[in-house]
Amino acid sequence: MQVYLVGGAVRDHLLGHPYHEKDYVVVGASPNQMLNLGYQPVGKDFPVFLHPETKEEYALARTERKSGTGYHGFEFHTDTSVTLEQDLIRRDLTINAMAMDEAGHVHDPYNGQQDLADRVLRHVSDAFIEDPLRVLRVARFAARYHAMGFHVATETLDLMRQLTESGELNTLTPERVWKETSRALMESHADIYFEVLRSCGALKVLFPEIDALFGVPQRPEYHPEIDCGIHTMMSLQQACRQNYDLDVRFAVLVHDLGKALTPTEELPRHIMHEERGVQPVTELCERFKVPTYTKQLAIAVCKEHLKCHQALNLKPGTLWRLLQRLDVLRRPERVEAFVQACECDSRGRLGLEDRAYPQAQYVREAMQVVRGIKAQDLPADIQGPDIGEMLIERRIHALAELKERHTALI
């Protein structure tokens, strides 16, 4: 019985990249041996055990054979004769197909260390094409390691394209696509995930609403980058740059979906694209079962982002109604997330990445102003429906005073 550290932990150890999870493969052991040593079985499709103390995963070395469609369509075989090399060859990328023994020696039968040095994401074998989930995984790794200079090998990209054209991507469950995508969105270069998917045709299959933005022109005086798809990726880069959370990053990703629906005769203008975008954002969220709060913020940003850009010029009553729609009194965190997403949109433009966005601070101040006016501060003789009316009146008046102060500073 031999135990090896495998996969991402070995890869990131060699890269000097932080990692938290450790996975192990056990060669030469049977399920009964593992049970006798106190390991707890958890695997459904093949034997995986939890260490009795650390609770880390230990999987018996296995081989696999394609027996159906999708990433579940495999038959697994484990016994004491399966070698480390046989186990590693079934993995997706060479940099994930290395193992480290208890003495710290790296076992690298498929040249993963060379690909690490060359900064290449390369498939281990032609069996890569049997699992459609690998298209998303490779794109996610490309996003994670982009800053270190990694790129997808041409021959691997070809296999990803073949997988896309085979129709196997359609066998992926919505939950799994969202899981991989949400993880990719939290990488430091999330835009690369979507760029890689686009380069192999997978973006059009899985996210046609985003793919449709590429090639759609915008007015160059407002958008020097011109292309709507490029603008979306640049806006997402801004969200990554600021290390915003998943909800903000996703809202930024889908904020302009309505521009793909602009009638050709209206281009490069995009009148009413905010309203047009609500339906595709909603459909995308429902298709992938996006969490409710994430969906709500995305729809709000899609529908209202121009109002944020115009905040300094909005009438006090209009600004109050915007804040009200964002649920400012109960969900101030949503207003903050909304402002962050809108700032990314403003800065996701060629040559304007570091441009000041005073609207953000103005909306934050407006939020504090209206939240500071409470019912208990009203005169005692104000009762019933008059309370709500006076609260609105006072909040709008306070916003008017805020606007005057800002105008005086300018």
Side-chain angles (χ1 to χ4, degrees), residues 19-218:
Y19 63 91
H20 305 287
E21 293 185 5
K22 294 181 180 180
D23 295 313
Y24 297 87
V25 67
V26 183
V27 178
S30 68
N32 284 338
Q33 283 178 282
M34 300 296 286
L35 293 173
N36 291 336
L37 290 170
Y39 286 80
Q40 301 170 343
V42 294
K44 295 180 180 179
D45 299 319
F46 50 85
V48 178
F49 300 84
L50 297 182
H51 190 281
E53 296 177 4
T54 67
K55 305 304 179 184
E56 292 170 332
E57 288 193 358
Y58 287 69
L60 297 187
R62 67 187 188 268
T63 60
E64 63 186 31
R65 183 177 66 85
K66 183 78 168 176
S67 60
T69 59
Y71 65 100
H72 284 309
F74 292 90
E75 292 180 357
F76 299 97
H77 169 70
T78 63
D79 66 31
T80 57
S81 68
V82 177
T83 67
L84 178 63
E85 289 74 16
Q86 287 175 314
D87 181 273
L88 293 177
I89 199 171
R90 66 178 176 77
R91 298 173 185 266
D92 51 7
L93 298 172
T94 60
I95 64 170
N96 295 331
M98 296 180 286
M100 183 182 294
D101 61 28
E102 293 169 324
H105 175 68
V106 176
H107 297 257
D108 180 20
Y110 306 109
N111 299 314
Q113 291 181 91
Q114 186 60 55
D115 282 340
L116 279 182
D118 294 338
R119 300 299 196 246
V120 177
L121 301 173
R122 191 192 316 277
H123 62 283
V124 179
S125 72
D126 287 343
F128 177 95
I129 203 170
E130 297 176 351
D131 185 355
L133 185 62
R134 289 175 170 176
V135 172
L136 300 184
R137 280 176 54 82
V138 172
R140 179 164 60 82
F141 284 128
R144 175 180 296 179
Y145 298 115
H146 177 74
M148 300 178 73
F150 276 84
H151 66 279
V152 182
T154 301
E155 58 272 27
T156 302
L157 199 60
D158 289 341
L159 291 184
M160 292 167 67
R161 195 171 292 112
Q162 288 181 41
L163 256 174
T164 299
E165 293 170 353
S166 73
E168 284 249 333
L169 290 181
N170 295 318
T171 67
L172 295 173
T173 64
E175 293 86 354
R176 197 58 204 246
V177 174
W178 173 248
K179 181 178 180 180
E180 289 294 323
T181 301
S182 61
R183 291 178 69 184
L185 279 167
M186 292 309 297
E187 300 293 355
S188 59
H189 289 272
D191 54 297
I192 299 300
Y193 173 78
F194 298 97
E195 293 283 9
V196 171
L197 292 183
R198 182 168 175 254
S199 68
C200 69
L203 190 66
K204 189 172 186 178
V205 174
L206 297 173
F207 302 98
E209 301 91 343
I210 299 171
D211 185 76
L213 291 170
F214 289 90
V216 177
Q218 302 174 100

Side-chain angles (χ1 to χ4, degrees), residues 140-328:
R140 179 164 60 82
F141 284 128
R144 175 180 296 179
Y145 298 115
H146 177 74
M148 300 178 73
F150 276 84
H151 66 279
V152 182
T154 301
E155 58 272 27
T156 302
L157 199 60
D158 289 341
L159 291 184
M160 292 167 67
R161 195 171 292 112
Q162 288 181 41
L163 256 174
T164 299
E165 293 170 353
S166 73
E168 284 249 333
L169 290 181
N170 295 318
T171 67
L172 295 173
T173 64
E175 293 86 354
R176 197 58 204 246
V177 174
W178 173 248
K179 181 178 180 180
E180 289 294 323
T181 301
S182 61
R183 291 178 69 184
L185 279 167
M186 292 309 297
E187 300 293 355
S188 59
H189 289 272
D191 54 297
I192 299 300
Y193 173 78
F194 298 97
E195 293 283 9
V196 171
L197 292 183
R198 182 168 175 254
S199 68
C200 69
L203 190 66
K204 189 172 186 178
V205 174
L206 297 173
F207 302 98
E209 301 91 343
I210 299 171
D211 185 76
L213 291 170
F214 289 90
V216 177
Q218 302 174 100
R219 295 173 67 180
E221 63 267 36
Y222 298 114
H223 285 276
E225 73 286 349
I226 299 176
D227 189 289
C228 289
I230 293 174
H231 164 62
T232 295
M233 294 299 103
M234 292 182 69
S235 299
L236 184 55
Q237 286 171 15
Q238 289 292 318
C240 297
R241 177 182 175 186
Q242 297 299 325
N243 199 27
Y244 288 146
D245 66 20
L246 174 63
D247 300 320
V248 173
R249 295 185 191 208
F250 180 72
V252 170
L253 175 69
V254 300
H255 80 279
D256 263 353
L257 294 190
K259 288 183 176 179
L261 303 177
T262 300
T264 304
E265 62 272 15
E266 293 182 12
L267 295 175
R269 303 178 71 195
H270 291 278
I271 302 168
M272 304 291 286
H273 76 274
E274 314 93 270
E275 289 80 0
R276 285 195 185 103
V278 172
Q279 182 176 344
V281 171
T282 302
E283 290 175 351
L284 189 154
C285 289
E286 291 177 352
R287 186 166 75 247
F288 293 114
K289 302 181 181 179
V290 173
T292 300
Y293 179 83
T294 308
K295 172 185 174 182
Q296 290 173 342
L297 178 64
I299 292 173
V301 172
C302 171
K303 193 174 182 178
E304 310 278 9
H305 61 274
L306 286 192
K307 287 285 195 304
C308 190
H309 299 336
Q310 299 162 353
L312 296 171
N313 298 315
L314 292 181
K315 294 179 180 179
T318 304
L319 180 55
W320 159 245
R321 287 188 290 275
L322 170 63
L323 292 171
Q324 209 174 20
R325 290 194 296 274
L326 294 172
D327 206 3
V328 63

